[in-house]
Amino acid sequence: ADAPHAVRGVSVTDYARDIARLCAGLDEAPILVGHSMGGLVCALAASRTPVRAMVLLAPTAPWGVAASSMEEAITAFGLHALGPFWAQAVAPDRGLARRYSLDRMDHAEREAVAVRLRPESGRALWETLNWWLDPFMTTSVGPLDVPTLVIGGERDVVHPPATVRQTAARLGATFIEAPGMSHWLVAEPGWREIAEIAQGWLDEASASTPAG
């Protein structure tokens, strides 16, 4: 399952169905937490099966939410230099990851994460980064009847706060911009504060949700 070609041809829909299937098999509806593309996958899964709440960290934007920065647009168009990338497993660009995603981590931590990066489905990348070319609107998801918190980093150039704010609006979610934070909200300096914000919000959401 860890072979470089394992994700070849896999759709974002496949990811979402897997998560939805897992959720449906639990004794009670879970809380979903997702980062980057994982955030979009969580939202798509939540449109398929009941969940209690979601926390989405720098989520990839769904179909119809336009890029708000030149970096985002360049990344989307840059994929085409790989040829028919949608039929490939795309190797991670660790140089870009170090520069834009892991930029606030110290060298040792940055390298520890970089070496763990694995190939991504070219099809999934195409569906998310070039959504306007997708006639099937694979990543389309509208307002969800799920308490949702969306957090974006002020210095994130992968998914800038202006884009993440649009994603939050699309989902009907609460949006918080994290000052000074970049894209790797799960582990860069300041992640504990992000976790505390998320936990506090979840506690409030739980208290305001009627039992049963």
Side-chain angles (χ1 to χ4, degrees), residues 1-4 7 89-94 112-121:
D2 197 39
V7 293
V90 178
D93 189 323
R94 292 183 172 85
V113 173
V115 298
R116 293 171 58 195
L117 297 176
R118 293 293 181 267
E120 181 55 89
S121 163

Side-chain angles (χ1 to χ4, degrees), residues 4 9 20 30 49 52 58 96 114 129 132 176 182 186 199:
T49 193
R52 274 193 293 161
L96 287 178
L129 298 178
W132 62 89
I176 293 177
S182 185
V186 293
Q199 184 62 64

Side-chain angles (χ1 to χ4, degrees), residues 11-13 15-17 19 32-48 54-65 124-129 131 137-142 144 150 159 167 170-171:
S11 169
V12 173
T13 299
Y15 291 150
R17 284 175 177 164
I19 298 299
L32 296 182
V33 180
H35 171 252
S36 201
M37 187 189 290
L40 175 58
V41 169
C42 285
L44 291 168
S47 71
R48 290 168 164 79
M54 293 192 298
V55 176
L56 310 182
L57 307 173
T60 298
W63 195 97
V65 172
L125 290 173
W126 182 82
E127 291 168 340
T128 54
L129 298 178
W131 57 261
M137 300 171 63
T138 304
T139 65
S140 179
V141 59
L144 298 172
V150 173
H159 297 320
T167 296
R170 170 69 63 83
L171 298 177

Side-chain angles (χ1 to χ4, degrees), residues 86-100:
W86 50 87
Q88 304 174 19
V90 178
D93 189 323
R94 292 183 172 85
L96 287 178
R98 292 181 182 100
R99 184 177 304 172
Y100 296 117

Side-chain angles (χ1 to χ4, degrees), residues 173-199:
T174 298
F175 172 74
I176 293 177
E177 182 174 320
M181 299 292 281
S182 185
H183 186 64
W184 208 252
L185 298 174
V186 293
E188 67 181 63
W191 72 265
R192 292 182 186 276
E193 287 80 359
I194 296 295
E196 289 171 0
I197 289 169
Q199 184 62 64

